[in-house]
Amino acid sequence: MGDSYDLVVIGAGSGGVRAARVAAGYGARVAIVEEYRVGGTCVIRGCVPKKLFVYASRFTDMFEVAGSFGWTIEGRTFDWATLVANKDKEIARLESAYVAGLEKPGVEIIRDRAVLTGPNGVRLVHAGRELHARTILIATGGHPKTPDIPGKELGITSNEAFHLEALPHSILIEGGGYVAVEFATIFAGLGVDTTIVYRGDRVLRGFDADLREGLDAGLETRGIKRIYQTNVRALRRLDRDIVVSFSDGVDAPFGAVMFATGRNPNVAGLGLEAAGVEVGADGIVVDEYSRTNVPSIYAVGDVTGRVALTPVAIREGQAFAETVFNANPIAVDHSLIGTAVFAEPEVATIGLAEEAAATHGNIDVYVARFRPMINTLSNRSERMIVKLITEADGGKVLGVHILGPGAAELIQLVAIPMGMGAEKADFDRAMAMHPTAAEELVTFKSPTYRYRGGVKH
Ligand code: NDP
């Protein structure tokens, strides 16, 4: 009985921790096995430290407008080591809170690497112990994927970016997704000469075109160079720099090179074959209750390749525990998920982009572009974009897209009426709050343009 559990969770990240805590709260005997630190990508080397870096980088924009509000700021210097040390302190605090949150309901935390030995078996690699589990949950997350090119070992990923000993004088970031854009504005805000190289025609493929365009302009304003329709072909060391060979034949030196070219699920070396668990192109294959093809084995979070976002993993972990340990089957709805890119300017979105909505049926598009009030005294020309897409003639709200200060906070709240199936009239009924940027969402009179039969009018 000593090594027998109701649930063994592999991976103490967002999804695994939630599942373990909730299952233990329902009286299950639970162990969670983690080979690195408790907290997972989000807490240890993702969302949380990233957002702290974002705050640090945003002071640059604030300093820029401060003068027009009467401030004189002298002796502006930035110390990277202080930021990293303070960030590490906060991450350690959060990790302790996660550990305490597991221990309170009685979850046993095992610091080891776990390998499946069968539908109910887990081997601890270092301890050499075998665990028997009635149910196994795989929540091992993912890791940065890097292109297979000569000299790739000279590049870093977001994992290393959190622990650089010093800021480089310049950095090239390959990719055009969340990580590339967020780190580009972090590094640029902290004074690093920053360049993005992306194989596509503009960053954030799949986002609404107005947001992509507005963000591209914002990157330009902040001096971030973009090289589009180009790849990195090779890296080589030259003194303290790294020389990058691009696919267009150009060679150029950079102080550092970072790959932000997506993530792969952590499925290797887990014993999935031994247990007979099916793995697809995006990760472990699961049904709507996060169950794999092996009835005793479940998987949640990034390792399943469904939607690689922390709150989604948490929701999946909670639903798993409810389903299996509280006889309350819950299938997570992945259909309407708001998401934010904490770049500068910030981008956040929920629902259909204009291009996708136009193929859905007749739609009305409302767009407001305005200077956020903080820019007015400084004559900074950067505009905020607030965009609402509805079914034709005041129908259901299909998409909301925002670029500018507070975009993520706004979209989080818009997710509530959208989840309730709100129509344009529901937004209009809300009294505006003035002066805010959010009031634009509830004061749109007539559509900026319409699509009828797929044609824009
Ligand atoms: P993304 O999938 O967002 O972006 C990957 C980028 O790399 C894309 O622009 C892609 O191009 C490009 N790319 C992929 N493969 C190659 C290649 N072989 N050569 C050159 N370019 C390539 O991944 P990220 O790493 O940015 O982020 C991973 C995930 O983590 C995100 O999808 C998101 O779910 C999550 N995340 C969420 C954050 C948030 O909520 N704020 C922040 C950070 C991460 P293309 O567009 O052409 O496919």
Side-chain angles (χ1 to χ4, degrees):
M1 178 64 193
D3 283 349
S4 195
Y5 297 87
D6 297 316
L7 172 66
V8 170
V9 179
I10 307 179
S14 301
V17 166
R18 172 59 67 93
R21 281 175 43 195
V22 175
Y26 286 130
R29 182 164 192 232
V30 182
I32 190 163
V33 189
E34 171 59 56
E35 64 179 339
Y36 185 53
R37 295 175 65 182
V38 173
T41 299
C42 178
V43 174
I44 306 297
R45 47 192 178 193
C47 335
V48 175
K50 181 274 309 288
K51 188 88 186 268
L52 296 173
F53 282 10
V54 166
Y55 282 123
S57 69
R58 285 183 175 170
F59 282 95
T60 303
D61 269 23
M62 293 302 288
F63 291 143
E64 207 186 288
V65 296
S68 59
F69 289 90
W71 288 94
T72 303
I73 297 171
E74 286 164 1
R76 251 171 63 181
T77 57
F78 170 72
D79 184 45
W80 170 251
T82 301
L83 173 64
V84 172
N86 287 344
K87 176 266 295 177
D88 286 344
K89 216 186 296 170
E90 172 60 6
I91 300 312
R93 186 189 70 79
L94 284 173
E95 186 180 7
S96 309
Y98 267 65
V99 168
L102 285 165
E103 285 174 346
K104 197 161 173 233
V107 176
E108 183 184 339
I109 303 171
I110 301 174
R111 310 277 183 166
D112 209 322
R113 178 165 179 82
V115 177
L116 301 180
T117 54
N120 300 97
V122 172
R123 183 164 48 83
L124 301 177
V125 173
H126 302 298
R129 239 173 95 197
E130 295 283 337
L131 309 182
H132 181 269
R134 195 157 58 82
T135 302
I136 295 170
L137 177 69
I138 304 170
T140 48
H143 62 275
K145 155 177 112 180
T146 54
D148 195 14
I149 53 165
K152 66 178 178 192
E153 65 285 352
L154 296 173
I156 60 167
T157 68
S158 55
N159 285 351
E160 293 75 38
F162 289 114
H163 300 285
L164 291 175
E165 278 182 18
L167 280 176
H169 64 88
S170 67
I171 190 162
L172 176 80
I173 302 178
E174 178 162 42
Y178 289 77
V179 173
V181 170
E182 290 181 344
F183 272 92
T185 54
I186 287 170
F187 282 120
L190 298 180
V192 179
D193 179 3
T194 303
T195 305
I196 288 176
V197 57
Y198 173 47
R199 64 186 179 183
D201 61 349
R202 189 168 273 164
V203 291
L204 294 190
R205 181 173 63 81
F207 281 66
D208 187 90
D210 281 327
L211 296 194
R212 296 176 72 194
E213 202 178 303
L215 177 61
D216 194 56
L219 298 178
E220 173 76 26
T221 304
R222 286 161 185 79
I224 298 171
K225 298 178 267 293
R226 284 95 57 228
I227 306 172
Y228 287 139
Q229 287 172 330
T230 306
N231 280 92
V232 173
R233 280 282 155 80
L235 306 181
R236 69 187 153 84
R237 169 79 58 200
L238 181 68
D239 302 325
R240 298 184 67 182
D241 279 349
I242 298 166
V243 176
V244 178
S245 300
F246 293 102
S247 53
D248 59 2
V250 171
D251 279 11
F254 294 90
V257 175
M258 176 171 163
F259 296 114
T261 45
R263 295 175 67 86
N264 281 332
N266 286 332
V267 289
L270 264 182
L272 295 174
E273 317 71 31
V277 175
E278 185 188 344
V279 180
D282 298 327
I284 294 177
V285 179
V286 290
D287 68 10
E288 70 267 41
Y289 298 105
S290 297
R291 190 177 213 165
T292 71
N293 60 311
V294 179
S296 57
I297 302 181
Y298 291 70
V300 295
D302 290 8
V303 75
T304 65
R306 285 176 283 186
V307 181
L309 295 171
T310 297
V312 177
I314 292 172
R315 192 62 77 86
E316 290 168 358
Q318 175 88 30
F320 154 79
E322 285 291 332
T323 302
V324 179
F325 294 97
N326 194 33
N328 175 26
I330 295 178
V332 173
D333 179 3
H334 293 91
S335 63
L336 191 65
I337 296 174
T339 179
V341 184
F342 295 98
E344 190 66 2
E346 193 165 285
V347 168
T349 191
I350 186 164
L352 297 176
E354 180 180 324
E355 300 76 3
T359 62
H360 167 99
N362 292 338
I363 59 164
D364 293 342
V365 181
Y366 303 80
V367 191
R369 293 169 201 273
F370 56 95
R371 271 200 301 165
M373 215 166 161
I374 192 157
N375 286 353
T376 51
L377 296 193
S378 66
N379 284 328
R380 242 169 69 158
S381 60
E382 186 160 273
R383 291 184 184 261
M384 186 156 179
I385 301 174
V386 174
K387 183 167 177 179
L388 187 71
I389 299 172
T390 70
E391 288 173 346
D393 307 320
K396 202 169 145 187
V397 176
L398 300 174
V400 179
H401 312 285
I402 300 179
L403 174 135
E409 305 289 345
L410 296 178
I411 288 294
Q412 176 65 89
L413 291 181
V414 164
I416 301 170
M418 278 191 69
M420 297 166 77
E423 299 189 342
K424 173 75 167 60
D426 297 312
F427 276 56
D428 295 345
R429 202 174 304 116
M431 188 69 78
M433 284 174 69
H434 187 70
T436 64
E439 67 185 304
E440 299 294 334
L441 279 170
V442 299
T443 52
F444 281 121
K445 292 288 173 274
S446 49
T448 313
Y449 48 90
R450 302 171 169 85
Y451 284 83
R452 296 292 181 267
V455 180
K456 187 173 172 181
H457 298 278

Short mmCIF file of all heavy atoms in Angstrom, two decimals, residues 35-56:
data_model
loop_
_atom_site.label_atom_id
_atom_site.label_comp_id
_atom_site.label_asym_id
_atom_site.label_seq_id
_atom_site.Cartn_x
_atom_site.Cartn_y
_atom_site.Cartn_z
N GLU A 35 10.43 17.01 -11.70
CA GLU A 35 11.90 16.90 -11.72
C GLU A 35 12.59 18.25 -11.64
O GLU A 35 13.79 18.32 -11.38
CB GLU A 35 12.36 16.17 -12.99
CG GLU A 35 12.04 16.90 -14.26
CD GLU A 35 12.53 16.18 -15.50
OE1 GLU A 35 13.44 15.34 -15.39
OE2 GLU A 35 11.99 16.46 -16.58
N TYR A 36 11.84 19.35 -11.85
CA TYR A 36 12.47 20.67 -11.81
C TYR A 36 11.87 21.44 -10.63
O TYR A 36 11.93 20.97 -9.50
CB TYR A 36 12.25 21.36 -13.17
CG TYR A 36 12.94 22.69 -13.34
CD1 TYR A 36 14.31 22.84 -13.11
CD2 TYR A 36 12.21 23.80 -13.75
CE1 TYR A 36 14.92 24.08 -13.28
CE2 TYR A 36 12.82 25.03 -13.93
CZ TYR A 36 14.17 25.17 -13.67
OH TYR A 36 14.77 26.39 -13.83
N ARG A 37 11.27 22.58 -10.87
CA ARG A 37 10.71 23.34 -9.77
C ARG A 37 9.19 23.30 -9.80
O ARG A 37 8.59 23.18 -10.87
CB ARG A 37 11.19 24.80 -9.85
CG ARG A 37 12.68 24.93 -9.67
CD ARG A 37 13.14 26.36 -9.86
NE ARG A 37 12.61 27.27 -8.85
CZ ARG A 37 12.86 28.58 -8.85
NH1 ARG A 37 13.61 29.13 -9.80
NH2 ARG A 37 12.36 29.35 -7.91
N VAL A 38 8.57 23.44 -8.64
CA VAL A 38 7.10 23.43 -8.58
C VAL A 38 6.58 24.77 -9.10
O VAL A 38 7.05 25.83 -8.68
CB VAL A 38 6.63 23.17 -7.13
CG1 VAL A 38 5.12 23.34 -7.01
CG2 VAL A 38 7.05 21.78 -6.68
N GLY A 39 5.63 24.70 -10.02
CA GLY A 39 5.07 25.94 -10.60
C GLY A 39 4.95 25.86 -12.11
O GLY A 39 4.10 26.50 -12.71
N GLY A 40 5.87 25.11 -12.72
CA GLY A 40 5.80 24.92 -14.16
C GLY A 40 6.26 26.14 -14.94
O GLY A 40 6.76 27.12 -14.38
N THR A 41 6.06 26.06 -16.25
CA THR A 41 6.55 27.12 -17.14
C THR A 41 5.99 28.48 -16.74
O THR A 41 6.73 29.46 -16.64
CB THR A 41 6.14 26.81 -18.60
OG1 THR A 41 6.74 25.58 -18.97
CG2 THR A 41 6.62 27.90 -19.54
N CYS A 42 4.69 28.55 -16.48
CA CYS A 42 4.07 29.86 -16.23
C CYS A 42 4.72 30.59 -15.06
O CYS A 42 5.09 31.75 -15.17
CB CYS A 42 2.58 29.68 -15.97
SG CYS A 42 1.75 31.22 -15.60
N VAL A 43 4.89 29.89 -13.96
CA VAL A 43 5.40 30.54 -12.76
C VAL A 43 6.93 30.70 -12.82
O VAL A 43 7.46 31.75 -12.47
CB VAL A 43 5.00 29.75 -11.50
CG1 VAL A 43 5.66 30.33 -10.25
CG2 VAL A 43 3.49 29.74 -11.35
N ILE A 44 7.60 29.66 -13.28
CA ILE A 44 9.07 29.66 -13.16
C ILE A 44 9.76 30.36 -14.33
O ILE A 44 10.72 31.11 -14.15
CB ILE A 44 9.58 28.20 -13.04
CG1 ILE A 44 8.88 27.47 -11.89
CG2 ILE A 44 11.10 28.18 -12.88
CD1 ILE A 44 9.12 28.03 -10.50
N ARG A 45 9.28 30.12 -15.56
CA ARG A 45 9.96 30.74 -16.70
C ARG A 45 8.99 31.05 -17.83
O ARG A 45 9.23 30.69 -18.98
CB ARG A 45 11.11 29.87 -17.19
CG ARG A 45 10.75 28.40 -17.35
CD ARG A 45 12.03 27.59 -17.55
NE ARG A 45 11.72 26.17 -17.67
CZ ARG A 45 12.63 25.22 -17.60
NH1 ARG A 45 13.89 25.52 -17.41
NH2 ARG A 45 12.31 23.96 -17.74
N GLY A 46 7.88 31.66 -17.45
CA GLY A 46 6.89 32.02 -18.45
C GLY A 46 6.12 33.26 -18.03
O GLY A 46 6.72 34.29 -17.71
N CYS A 47 4.80 33.12 -17.99
CA CYS A 47 3.90 34.27 -17.79
C CYS A 47 4.33 35.22 -16.67
O CYS A 47 4.34 36.44 -16.85
CB CYS A 47 2.49 33.82 -17.44
SG CYS A 47 2.02 32.20 -18.01
N VAL A 48 4.64 34.65 -15.50
CA VAL A 48 4.86 35.52 -14.33
C VAL A 48 6.17 36.33 -14.45
O VAL A 48 6.14 37.56 -14.43
CB VAL A 48 4.81 34.71 -13.01
CG1 VAL A 48 5.16 35.60 -11.83
CG2 VAL A 48 3.43 34.10 -12.84
N PRO A 49 7.34 35.67 -14.61
CA PRO A 49 8.55 36.48 -14.76
C PRO A 49 8.50 37.37 -16.01
O PRO A 49 9.00 38.50 -15.99
CB PRO A 49 9.68 35.44 -14.88
CG PRO A 49 9.02 34.15 -15.18
CD PRO A 49 7.65 34.23 -14.59
N LYS A 50 7.85 36.88 -17.05
CA LYS A 50 7.70 37.70 -18.27
C LYS A 50 6.96 39.00 -17.97
O LYS A 50 7.39 40.08 -18.34
CB LYS A 50 6.97 36.88 -19.33
CG LYS A 50 6.73 37.52 -20.67
CD LYS A 50 5.49 38.37 -20.78
CE LYS A 50 4.20 37.74 -20.32
NZ LYS A 50 3.67 36.71 -21.19
N LYS A 51 5.84 38.88 -17.23
CA LYS A 51 5.05 40.09 -16.94
C LYS A 51 5.86 41.06 -16.07
O LYS A 51 5.77 42.28 -16.24
CB LYS A 51 3.74 39.70 -16.26
CG LYS A 51 2.74 40.84 -16.07
CD LYS A 51 1.82 41.05 -17.24
CE LYS A 51 0.92 42.27 -17.15
NZ LYS A 51 -0.38 42.02 -16.55
N LEU A 52 6.68 40.52 -15.17
CA LEU A 52 7.52 41.41 -14.36
C LEU A 52 8.52 42.15 -15.26
O LEU A 52 8.76 43.34 -15.09
CB LEU A 52 8.26 40.60 -13.28
CG LEU A 52 7.34 39.95 -12.23
CD1 LEU A 52 8.13 39.03 -11.31
CD2 LEU A 52 6.60 41.01 -11.40
N PHE A 53 9.06 41.45 -16.23
CA PHE A 53 9.97 42.09 -17.19
C PHE A 53 9.21 43.13 -18.03
O PHE A 53 9.75 44.18 -18.37
CB PHE A 53 10.61 41.05 -18.12
CG PHE A 53 11.75 40.27 -17.51
CD1 PHE A 53 12.03 40.34 -16.15
CD2 PHE A 53 12.55 39.45 -18.30
CE1 PHE A 53 13.08 39.60 -15.59
CE2 PHE A 53 13.61 38.73 -17.76
CZ PHE A 53 13.87 38.80 -16.40
N VAL A 54 7.97 42.81 -18.37
CA VAL A 54 7.16 43.76 -19.16
C VAL A 54 7.00 45.06 -18.37
O VAL A 54 7.18 46.16 -18.90
CB VAL A 54 5.79 43.14 -19.51
CG1 VAL A 54 4.80 44.21 -20.01
CG2 VAL A 54 5.95 42.04 -20.55
N TYR A 55 6.67 44.92 -17.07
CA TYR A 55 6.54 46.13 -16.25
C TYR A 55 7.83 46.95 -16.30
O TYR A 55 7.82 48.16 -16.45
CB TYR A 55 6.22 45.78 -14.79
CG TYR A 55 4.78 45.38 -14.55
CD1 TYR A 55 4.47 44.16 -13.99
CD2 TYR A 55 3.74 46.25 -14.86
CE1 TYR A 55 3.14 43.80 -13.75
CE2 TYR A 55 2.42 45.89 -14.63
CZ TYR A 55 2.13 44.66 -14.08
OH TYR A 55 0.82 44.31 -13.85
N ALA A 56 8.96 46.26 -16.16
CA ALA A 56 10.25 46.96 -16.16
C ALA A 56 10.44 47.72 -17.46
O ALA A 56 10.86 48.88 -17.47
CB ALA A 56 11.39 45.96 -15.95
#
